[in-house]
Amino acid sequence: SYSLAANGGSENTSYYLSFGYDANTGIVERLDGFERYTGRLNINSKLNEKLSVGANIGLSYTYSEEVRDRNNVQNPILSAYTYRPYEPVYKRKNDGSLVLDDNGNRVYNETSNGFSILEALENNTEFENNIRTIASSFLQYELIDNLKFKTQFSGVYDRYRTERYTQPGSILDGITGDPLAPGSKSDEGSDQFDYSWLNQISYAKTFGKHSFNILAFTEFSKQNFSDYRLTSKGFADKQLSTQENASAAISAVTRKSEATLFSLASALDYEYADRYSVSASIRRDGASRFGKDTRYGTFWSFSLGWDVAKEEFFDSMTDVVNRLRLRTSYGVVGNWNIPNYASLGYYNFGKYMGQSAGFSRNYVGNKELTWESQNSFNIGVEYGLLNSRIYGGIDYFNNVRSDFLFSNSLSYEGGGYNQFINAGKMTTSGIELSVSGDIISTSELVWTVGANITFMDYDVNELLEPEYIVDGTNVVAEGEEPFTFKLVRYAGVDSKNGDALYYDKNGEITNKFSSGDAVNLSGKSPLADYYGGFYTNVTYKGFDLAVDFSYKAGNYIYNATADGMLADGEGGNSNQRVDAFNYWKKPGDTGVLPRPASGSSQISDRFLQDGSYLRLRNLTIGYTFPSKIIERIGLQKIRVFAQGQNLLTWTGYEGDPEISIGSGENQLGEEQEFIPGAYDQFSYPTLRTLTFGIDVKF
């Protein structure tokens, strides 16, 4: 990782310029991993007493070689778990010599999984690259004293491209390809240009003990998106991988979409005597994604602040409490995070019965679809004790999501249709506590410690239907936490015959598994009951030490990785965990796994595990050389450091508690349901990273 930055200017003009380069090979063999180049330039200039202009531009280019993920034989993480540890990379004859193909190349061993991941990483290449440009420019003119007009144009351009190539003659080509047209290639890409035009007028004034700022603005935003996908097959040579070298086209798809948002808003900030503050805002937004008659929403906020410690009656207490500020706020914000045209519905077009053109419905339109609104209330206090040697805050918050947006399955419609709806209301509330303090504070030694914790409470208050199924095993149900797990309950092992036992819906024990016996497991969801962290920082002369811990508790994860590694004999051809040997062998055995091949590897709460953890997130040690030494060589500062991330983790979870995602191949596409923290299934792990670096300022 390299970075370089420079800033400077004159009396009326200032600039900032930076460049950066980052590379990370990752942990998967034969992949280059990730590479990124970045650059930024900011310029601001005051042309005369009334007119100011400015422009910012940022560029980035990223390249990454991707691996398949989730429960897939092409996933190298799954391969690391499931391959037999004694399997060779290459095929060998009975005498131990290597098997060679007709060209004299070593032949890969297809392993017990029927696939060689190392061969796939070599011959089934996949990469992504992305070019992003972020730019804005503004002009500000002071109409009269303190009254300013500002117009600003901002834009973001993203160009994305990915290529997936299955080389002719590769193992995957032999499994999925066409023998008469070997090899296949997929090229995908997209262009997205988002821009906004802001026009704002503001007035700021201070007189006596009064200070206020009022503004009003309009903003128009538009998103323009287009993408393509080309797939072909039949390549004469693995080196000839462009589409023009294919013998047959498989598919060609292009799409485009647009979305617009128009906003009118105003805001007021007022402060009196540097002690009392009031802020208020109101805005009206119109979004093209909603129905023609429901696309506008009005949102507002209001806040109050009181700096109690600056009151005269508080003077006698400032030796103990030198800072005490009370604040409260209430507001409503809107959410339009749904796909474009969601209110209109979607259709798929293609051949009908292999002949004439036809179309089928995919998503059902909803002309009543409108904004989701979140009503947020917050009240808190900021404090400083003993001349701010101890400082922190206490906050209570309550957020109510009304008309929350949801993709609902219309099973009663037939055909597997979905529809975006405003499903109901849910509440999130909590208390956040933070405290920090300087244990020692001298000219040479400063030692600071601090901690924070947030307690959370979630509830689904109202729904149009009693419950909605999300991603198969989670529900949004009235009276429950959002995304509560809905699973069949595991009852252990029958000591007489080794059968896996389950509870039916009535709580009776049975050895017959039925998905119809799944029940809502109240209190067990991917959402944490509390989370936070604590830290300590020490500086002594030129040395510095920083240690950060993070933690989370009360969340549950379905450990599909453990399920696959304790498959009760069903995964006998693949590697298993050592404790898979602890299965039922004779009548009377207890505390064991079900007998092998009993058909017990079913989705139940057997593998639903508490995801609580404590992690040493960061440890940094550094040294800054004395300025009297550095100045001799014409520099202002030199600091060397070593940093470790994710060094230690304490958890009862059987795996990495922060690696828990859905089981779909791609979790970022439209129409896909994704609950963060719900599943762990052979995913790329959190890395333990050691970094060594040097900072130089001149």
Side-chain angles (χ1 to χ4, degrees):
S1 179
Y2 304 92
S3 63
L4 176 66
N7 61 81
S10 61
E11 181 179 353
N12 294 320
T13 302
S14 62
Y15 70 87
Y16 173 83
L17 180 66
S18 68
F19 301 96
Y21 172 77
D22 299 275
N24 193 326
T25 60
I27 61 171
V28 177
E29 189 175 332
R30 301 188 181 183
L31 292 186
D32 288 338
F34 174 83
E35 211 173 17
R36 177 175 58 200
Y37 300 84
T38 57
R40 171 164 289 278
L41 174 63
N42 302 339
I43 298 178
N44 294 281
S45 182
K46 188 174 182 180
L47 301 183
N48 56 44
E49 290 300 319
K50 291 184 174 293
L51 182 62
S52 299
V53 296
N56 308 315
I57 185 168
L59 298 172
S60 67
Y61 170 82
T62 60
Y63 173 90
S64 61
E65 294 190 354
E66 298 298 313
V67 298
R68 297 296 293 268
D69 207 345
R70 322 298 188 258
N71 189 21
N72 189 302
V73 294
Q74 299 175 63
N75 175 5
I77 308 301
L78 177 143
S79 303
Y81 276 100
T82 61
Y83 281 7
R84 297 171 182 173
Y86 51 81
E87 293 184 290
V89 173
Y90 302 101
K91 286 184 177 180
R92 293 183 178 273
K93 301 176 183 178
N94 292 334
D95 62 4
S97 60
L98 290 168
V99 176
L100 304 177
D101 62 17
D102 294 340
N103 296 318
N105 299 314
R106 292 173 294 183
V107 177
Y108 281 93
N109 171 39
E110 296 183 11
T111 76
S112 54
N113 283 11
F115 196 75
S116 169
I117 189 62
L118 287 174
E119 187 271 348
L121 291 170
E122 179 180 317
N123 296 326
N124 306 329
T125 56
E126 179 176 346
F127 73 86
E128 298 178 354
N129 63 32
N130 192 87
I131 299 174
R132 165 171 280 204
T133 304
I134 303 175
S136 68
S137 61
F138 75 88
L139 180 149
Q140 181 171 282
Y141 186 78
E142 188 169 15
L143 302 172
I144 59 175
D145 287 348
N146 304 313
L147 181 64
K148 297 178 180 179
F149 169 76
K150 180 180 182 180
T151 184
Q152 177 173 300
F153 184 86
S154 304
V156 179
Y157 175 70
D158 271 302
R159 184 171 180 81
Y160 167 82
R161 183 169 65 93
T162 182
E163 295 185 19
R164 300 181 179 90
Y165 183 39
T166 301
Q167 292 184 9
S170 65
I171 293 176
L172 182 62
D173 187 43
I175 297 173
T176 63
D178 183 346
L180 301 179
S184 62
K185 177 72 182 301
S186 175
D187 289 89
E188 300 178 44
S190 65
D191 289 274
Q192 182 166 343
F193 177 53
D194 302 341
Y195 69 87
S196 64
W197 184 25
L198 171 76
N199 288 282
Q200 173 184 296
I201 190 165
S202 62
Y203 184 78
K205 182 71 174 178
T206 299
F207 54 94
K209 296 182 178 181
H210 305 274
S211 176
F212 71 91
N213 181 32
I214 186 170
L215 64 85
F217 68 82
T218 67
E219 185 174 28
F220 175 80
S221 303
K222 188 170 185 178
Q223 299 177 356
N224 300 272
F225 177 83
S226 63
D227 68 349
Y228 67 88
R229 179 172 182 174
L230 309 173
T231 305
S232 58
K233 64 180 180 178
F235 291 84
D237 187 273
K238 65 180 182 180
Q239 302 295 330
L240 304 176
S241 62
T242 55
Q243 296 282 348
E244 64 182 349
N245 291 292
S247 63
I250 299 176
S251 66
V253 177
T254 63
R255 301 184 303 171
K256 66 177 181 178
S257 66
E258 298 178 344
T260 57
L261 179 71
F262 180 70
S263 305
L264 295 168
S266 63
L268 168 68
D269 294 317
Y270 170 76
E271 190 173 274
Y272 175 73
D274 199 27
R275 295 197 297 271
Y276 313 103
S277 62
V278 178
S279 296
S281 68
I282 186 169
R283 62 183 296 150
R284 184 161 176 81
D285 297 296
S288 64
R289 293 173 179 171
F290 299 117
K292 182 176 63 174
D293 300 322
T294 58
R295 61 184 42 159
Y296 282 92
T298 301
F299 312 103
W300 56 273
S301 65
F302 185 80
S303 66
L304 298 172
W306 179 22
D307 206 331
V308 183
K310 292 182 179 180
E311 297 287 357
E312 292 183 2
F313 65 78
F314 208 81
D315 288 345
S316 61
M317 300 179 61
T318 54
D319 289 341
V320 178
V321 184
N322 61 287
R323 175 170 173 77
L324 184 63
R325 178 175 174 80
L326 305 179
R327 47 182 166 71
T328 186
S329 64
Y330 186 85
V332 183
V333 297
N335 173 28
W336 70 314
N337 189 24
I338 52 175
N340 297 337
Y341 316 114
S343 65
L344 301 178
Y346 303 121
Y347 292 83
N348 291 327
F349 289 80
K351 288 184 178 181
Y352 178 71
M353 301 294 290
Q355 301 296 325
S356 60
F359 66 90
S360 62
R361 185 166 57 174
N362 185 8
Y363 263 79
V364 177
N366 179 5
K367 65 180 182 179
E368 302 298 326
L369 189 68
T370 189
W371 287 87
E372 172 186 319
S373 62
Q374 180 170 294
N375 298 55
S376 300
F377 170 73
N378 180 281
I379 186 169
V381 57
E382 302 168 13
Y383 62 87
L385 309 176
L386 305 176
N387 198 28
S388 291
R389 288 285 295 273
I390 301 174
Y391 50 92
I394 303 172
D395 283 273
Y396 168 78
F397 57 88
N398 183 275
N399 301 324
V400 180
R401 291 177 60 191
S402 300
D403 297 323
F404 69 84
L405 297 166
F406 185 77
S407 176
N408 183 35
S409 174
L410 304 178
S411 56
Y412 53 83
E413 286 272 335
Y417 303 133
N418 286 353
Q419 183 184 52
F420 285 95
I421 62 172
N422 297 105
K425 183 172 72 173
M426 62 176 66
T427 303
T428 303
S429 59
I431 296 175
E432 183 174 358
L433 309 173
S434 65
V435 60
S436 298
D438 295 332
I439 306 302
I440 300 175
S441 182
T442 68
S443 59
E444 291 189 338
L445 175 63
V446 177
W447 177 24
T448 302
V449 297
N452 66 82
I453 186 170
T454 301
F455 298 95
M456 300 293 297
D457 184 60
Y458 316 87
D459 192 28
V460 178
N461 308 105
E462 300 173 8
L463 292 176
L464 296 180
E465 300 178 14
E467 69 178 29
Y468 297 104
I469 304 294
V470 185
D471 205 16
T473 57
N474 299 82
V475 297
V476 177
E478 289 188 11
E480 301 281 5
E481 289 186 2
F483 314 123
T484 291
F485 282 95
K486 185 171 187 175
L487 295 166
V488 176
R489 292 164 293 173
Y490 181 66
V493 177
D494 190 330
S495 63
K496 298 188 294 295
N497 56 24
D499 284 350
L501 301 176
Y502 305 93
Y503 293 100
D504 63 19
K505 272 197 169 181
N506 300 318
E508 301 294 328
I509 294 178
T510 175
N511 63 350
K512 302 296 183 182
F513 178 89
S514 172
S515 59
D517 288 327
V519 298
N520 295 342
L521 304 178
S522 297
K524 295 185 177 181
S525 83
L527 305 177
D529 293 335
Y530 61 91
Y531 58 86
F534 53 92
Y535 72 91
T536 184
N537 295 329
V538 180
T539 60
Y540 177 67
K541 295 185 178 180
F543 293 95
D544 61 89
L545 170 69
V547 185
D548 293 285
F549 290 85
S550 63
Y551 59 85
K552 185 164 66 171
N555 60 301
Y556 283 80
I557 304 167
Y558 187 85
N559 195 337
T561 300
D563 189 351
M565 300 301 292
L566 296 173
D568 302 334
E570 294 184 18
N573 288 331
S574 300
N575 195 17
Q576 296 279 282
R577 280 175 22 180
V578 173
D579 49 337
F581 282 115
N582 185 32
Y583 56 83
W584 183 93
K585 300 178 181 66
K586 63 181 185 305
D589 283 351
T590 59
V592 294
L593 302 179
R595 59 183 171 84
S598 61
S600 58
S601 183
Q602 305 285 357
I603 297 178
S604 70
D605 70 350
R606 173 182 170 187
F607 294 103
L608 187 64
Q609 298 179 355
D610 189 335
S612 304
Y613 70 88
L614 169 64
R615 172 162 279 171
L616 176 54
R617 180 72 64 192
N618 178 75
L619 173 64
T620 302
I621 301 173
Y623 179 73
T624 302
F625 288 89
S627 57
K628 62 182 180 181
I629 297 177
I630 300 305
E631 290 172 354
R632 294 175 184 173
I633 56 176
L635 299 177
Q636 295 184 26
K637 178 183 177 181
I638 294 181
R639 177 178 176 266
V640 294
F641 66 90
Q643 182 182 57
Q645 294 176 306
N646 305 315
L647 296 178
L648 295 170
T649 302
W650 296 266
T651 182
Y653 181 74
E654 298 175 3
D656 186 342
E658 289 190 294
I659 296 302
S660 44
I661 55 180
S663 59
E665 181 65 33
N666 177 5
Q667 295 298 324
L668 301 178
E670 292 181 4
E671 307 172 18
Q672 289 197 334
E673 299 169 335
F674 172 39
I675 306 173
Y679 293 92
D680 177 357
Q681 190 163 36
F682 302 109
S683 300
Y684 199 95
T686 301
L687 302 183
R688 180 182 295 117
T689 305
L690 299 177
T691 305
F692 304 91
I694 180 170
D695 294 331
V696 180
K697 185 176 182 181
F698 53 90

